Amino acid sequence: WGCKMIAPKLRFSEFKDEWFEKKLEEIATVERGKFSPRPRNDPKFYNGEMPFIQTGDVANCGIYLEKYTQTLNEEGIKVSKVFPKNSILITIAANIGDTAITRFPVACPDSLVAIQPLENIANTHFLNNLLELKKEYLDSQATQNAQKNINLQVLKPLELVIPNYQEQTKIAEFLSAVDDKISQLSRQLELLNQYKKGVMQKIFSQEIRFKNENGEDFGEWEEVPLNFVCDVRDGTHDSPKYVKKGYPLVTSKNLKDGKLDLTDISLISQTDFDNINKRSKVHTGDIIFGMIGTIGNPVLLKESNFAIKNVALIKEKDELLNKFLIHFLNSSLFDRQVKVLNVGNTQKFLSLNQIRNLSVPKPTIQEQEKIAEFLTAIDERIDHTTTQLNHTKQWKKGLLQQMFV
């Protein structure tokens, strides 16, 4: 049954047989998708019943493909290629090596390959997990033209080490339970984010109001320019010299999902650090957000030993709490104001003056406290679920490395 190989570190005790080296094309049919017409966006092929899967649909889903963005009609199906349910789709252009298992028949363009495991030779779920481990290798084989891609000449002879079908099935059943946990946590996270978005919309449009300790309504909200209630500055616009050892210089690229990401950080000298901080020294509890390139991504600071460049800095005064303001800056109402200011601009940019004149709500301090407490509790739940999800994914990754050769 092929070239004999060693078995993995972690294994179900009832199996003793060796694992074997096989080429992908020996255990599955490997076919490229197709969509021949040019231009591709001719409406006569679209809006039918057949899901037409793109690389983004595969990249953005979990183990199973459940959502899609386009469909083909009968004319579209004639010029594409349809694959049955339980096919493994793998991306071969732009993002290389992302996979998903189909739960229904789908049509695909040539940026996707469909892998259909041979009956009683390869288990779909087992093979999908094995391909997940090959993602980095496949990416390293990509040719770099206008965009990265690989072809069937790389995929078909891909060497895999597999056990007999019974052992594959046992491993697949075990990993399915882990994948179910990952799917549950992903869904939970999605629902929490949707809930937060909806509830913020209602709070900031005042559909939902909080009451004081006596069950009475708080006073009316005022709308004020940001500069009336906060001290608003910006970081340096100069280009300080980067050094190997020094102080971090935070720009908008370091603001991600409400947190500071210092993995790709530039360092500056003590002199530059001191010069920038003469005017815009950052303290814990301040808010910063991007004002050039990536606009927004506000962060309520829990740390402070860095300088800022092309980033707005908001310092709290008596009338508006930053722990309340951070939620408004993350709302769709704030987003809309920013979009209006950026209409027609080739590069996204907000001047300090525009930021100072942005309109913000000003409820009473007591209501700000209540809103901040309520929304922060949702954020903590989201953070907790995200951590659980990341830990489970890491745990699974470790398992895969031990359960596969």
Side-chain angles (χ1 to χ4, degrees), residues 275-293:
N275 283 339
I276 294 168
N277 283 346
K278 276 178 196 158
R279 193 174 70 90
S280 48
K281 187 167 172 56
V282 169
H283 294 96
T284 306
D286 291 346
I287 291 173
I288 58 173
F289 71 89
M291 54 192 291
I292 293 179

Side-chain angles (χ1 to χ4, degrees), residues 8 17 30 53 62 79 84 100 127 130 171 175 180 205 237 250 310 318 320 327 347 350 369 371:
D17 293 349
V30 184
I53 308 305
V79 293
L127 187 53
L130 187 47
I171 292 167
L175 289 172
D180 286 347
S205 59
H237 294 278
V250 165
N310 296 337
D318 297 337
L320 199 71
H327 295 293
Q347 189 196 8
L350 281 186
E369 288 274 9
I371 291 168

